[in-house]
Amino acid sequence: MIKGITRASVNMVERYLPDAFVLVLVLTLVVFGAGMLVEGHGPVAMAEFWGDGFWNLLSFSMQMVLILVSGFVVASTPVFKRLLQALAKLARSPGQGIVLVTVVSLIAAWVNWGFGLVIGALFARELARCLPNLDYRLAIASAYSGFMVWHGGLSGSIPLVIATEGHFTAEMIGIIPTSETIFSVMNLGILLALLIVIPLVNWLITPAAGDAVTVDPAKLIDEEPNSEEVADTPSTRLENSMILSLISGLLGILYVGYYVFGTDGGLNLNIVNFTLIFAGILLHGRPSQFLASVKKAVNGASGIIVQFPFYAGIMGMMVGSGLAVTLSEAFVSISSAETLPFFTFLSAGIVNMFVPSGGGQWAVQAPIMLEASAALGVSPARTAMAVAWGDTWTNLVQPFWALPALAIAGLSAKDIMGYCLIVLVVTGVVLGLGLTFLP
């Protein structure tokens, strides 16, 4: 039965879900119209909110381009290729491959969300090379489904923010340590349940061999660098200098060591990118080979470069018009002490479709949800994690975060969202129960 439901979901998404860029244009018009109809703003005011927010994610966009490029560069090194190949050989069947890629992605995303986005997609590609009967779309969807645990993991932005001195809600809730959020019984229970449920669901929806949409493994083999002889000049000797790569790579690794052991800095996107870049320089051995790999990787970054400013504009309209606040208040108005975490989770899931940024969403929803939790006697830590899980839950059907994985895979959003929709429904039940009943 679940396979039949999955086929219907995949067919529906393939038929009705447009390209990710077209979708962001549609979302822009929906929010623009809602701001006028619901909040009473004029078209000039909504255009101002949109334009003012359009460039607010430039720094983040560059970080996302680099996580895609640097992850691809490291994965294209001989050492990392052998590592992925050895791991992929553990799977003897398509079903085992789907479970394995899901578990690897879950663990990687729990450690760091940026690392999880890249490693899952790269591993799925390697599995497709080793298992010709593997459904490639489901493999990438499974890799992406592991990303949904990130906000309950070590790089979760909301629990890390409220554990930091001087955060913007400190006067309301004080400093909440990660022992009450990331490492709470409730959060660890949810994580354990998802670690079991998500691989199981992906395994259950694995199509039969005759129905699998496969990819020719030859198309997933990276081209070898050009081996043509070049003139022996001072410039070409520098471009192919192993010593230059070695010194530069070791300098970068030295800084990473200092950062990890000599400072109190946490694992963030910048340090992940920094580590991957210099690991790529070191492992490729020659600057010319490193640059050749970068050129290949950049080709897949177009979606991030073009679409992220539009999402920033949508966020600007949602916040500036008051739509995000209105939506949050609507859910609070129907909540009790027992149901507030659940309705907070649902509201965060909806807001995330238009404000796909954990930190940005917390800035909008925190004052409303924390005030409600204080009035109803609900733990602010539980409320914060309800927002965090709502934010990460609907990422399953939000192309914003899927773009790096899709670029690596060479697929479009409609290729994987039908599968992700099934995972969304099942995990929504798990998360709702966990946030409501776990201590």
Side-chain angles (χ1 to χ4, degrees):
M1 186 173 99
I2 192 170
K3 284 182 168 57
I5 295 173
T6 302
R7 281 195 297 271
S9 175
V10 170
N11 291 336
M12 180 186 68
V13 168
E14 287 182 344
R15 183 174 178 83
Y16 294 107
L17 184 69
D19 179 83
F21 178 66
V22 175
L23 180 61
V24 77
L25 294 181
V26 171
L27 289 176
T28 298
L29 296 178
V30 168
V31 175
F32 191 93
M36 292 190 292
L37 294 175
V38 177
E39 301 297 336
H41 294 288
V44 174
M46 290 304 297
E48 182 181 358
F49 298 142
W50 180 63
D52 288 346
F54 200 81
W55 302 115
N56 286 347
L57 290 180
L58 278 181
S59 175
F60 180 69
S61 299
M62 186 62 182
Q63 288 175 320
M64 291 301 288
V65 168
L66 284 175
I67 196 70
L68 166 64
V69 171
S70 60
F72 183 93
V73 165
V74 170
S76 65
T77 62
V79 172
F80 203 84
K81 281 182 179 178
R82 287 194 291 269
L83 178 62
L84 286 179
Q85 288 167 0
L87 191 59
K89 288 177 181 177
L90 295 175
R92 303 295 183 182
S93 67
Q96 291 179 9
I98 293 300
V99 171
L100 186 58
V101 71
T102 307
V103 171
V104 167
S105 181
L106 283 163
I107 294 172
W110 181 81
V111 173
N112 179 268
W113 67 265
F115 182 64
L117 269 180
V118 172
I119 196 66
L122 292 172
F123 185 48
R125 277 173 55 94
E126 190 57 49
L127 280 168
R129 292 190 185 108
C130 297
L131 297 169
N133 294 327
L134 181 72
D135 190 298
Y136 188 51
R137 301 175 306 170
L138 178 58
I140 298 299
S142 299
Y144 184 58
S145 68
F147 175 66
M148 74 161 295
V149 303
W150 81 271
H151 222 149
L154 300 182
S155 62
S157 58
I158 292 176
L160 293 181
V161 164
I162 62 177
T164 304
E165 291 281 352
H167 66 88
F168 72 95
T169 56
E171 293 185 1
M172 297 178 65
I173 60 175
I175 306 300
I176 298 181
T178 54
S179 59
E180 297 181 25
T181 53
I182 296 174
F183 299 106
S184 67
V185 172
M186 178 195 72
N187 195 62
L188 292 177
I190 288 173
L191 285 168
L192 179 60
L194 293 177
L195 186 61
I196 297 170
V197 168
I198 296 177
L200 177 61
V201 171
N202 287 336
W203 176 73
L204 287 173
I205 64 178
T206 302
D211 297 327
V213 177
T214 60
V215 62
D216 183 356
K219 294 182 178 180
L220 300 176
I221 297 175
D222 299 319
E223 296 179 6
E224 295 298 324
N226 194 337
S227 59
E228 292 182 6
E229 291 188 9
V230 295
D232 184 15
T233 64
S235 62
T236 57
R237 285 196 292 270
L238 280 173
E239 290 167 3
N240 292 282
S241 171
M242 296 184 68
I243 295 176
L244 186 58
S245 284
L246 179 64
I247 294 174
S248 301
L250 289 177
L251 181 61
I253 300 303
L254 176 64
Y255 173 76
V256 173
Y258 162 75
Y259 180 88
V260 172
F261 299 107
T263 71
D264 294 328
L267 192 63
N268 56 49
L269 198 54
N270 285 336
I271 197 64
V272 169
N273 274 330
F274 189 94
T275 303
L276 290 174
I277 288 171
F278 283 94
I281 292 173
L282 194 61
L283 293 174
H284 272 288
R286 303 177 189 275
S288 58
Q289 293 179 3
F290 172 79
L291 288 174
S293 183
V294 168
K295 288 178 181 177
K296 290 181 192 175
V298 168
N299 290 333
S302 59
I304 297 173
I305 294 169
V306 172
Q307 293 177 45
F308 274 34
F310 282 89
Y311 276 110
I314 292 172
M315 290 169 59
M317 288 190 290
M318 286 289 294
V319 175
S321 69
L323 276 170
V325 171
T326 298
L327 182 61
S328 300
E329 288 176 341
F331 278 93
V332 167
S333 67
I334 60 173
S335 299
S336 64
E338 292 75 23
T339 61
L340 180 64
F342 176 69
F343 283 124
T344 298
F345 161 71
L346 287 182
S347 70
I350 295 173
V351 170
N352 177 62
M353 295 298 295
F354 304 96
V355 186
S357 163
Q361 184 168 343
W362 180 239
V364 172
Q365 291 196 276
I368 304 157
M369 297 307 180
L370 291 177
E371 184 177 337
S373 69
L376 295 173
V378 178
S379 162
R382 181 179 287 268
T383 300
M385 291 310 297
V387 175
W389 280 112
D391 165 75
T392 194
W393 176 51
T394 49
N395 283 338
L396 283 168
V397 289
Q398 168 54 273
F400 179 89
W401 292 107
L403 289 174
L406 292 171
I408 291 171
L411 297 177
S412 64
K414 67 173 64 179
D415 290 320
I416 70 168
M417 289 302 169
Y419 299 108
C420 291
L421 185 59
I422 302 298
V423 181
L424 177 85
V425 173
V426 176
T427 55
V429 174
V430 173
L431 290 166
L433 292 172
L435 290 165
T436 303
F437 296 109
L438 286 177

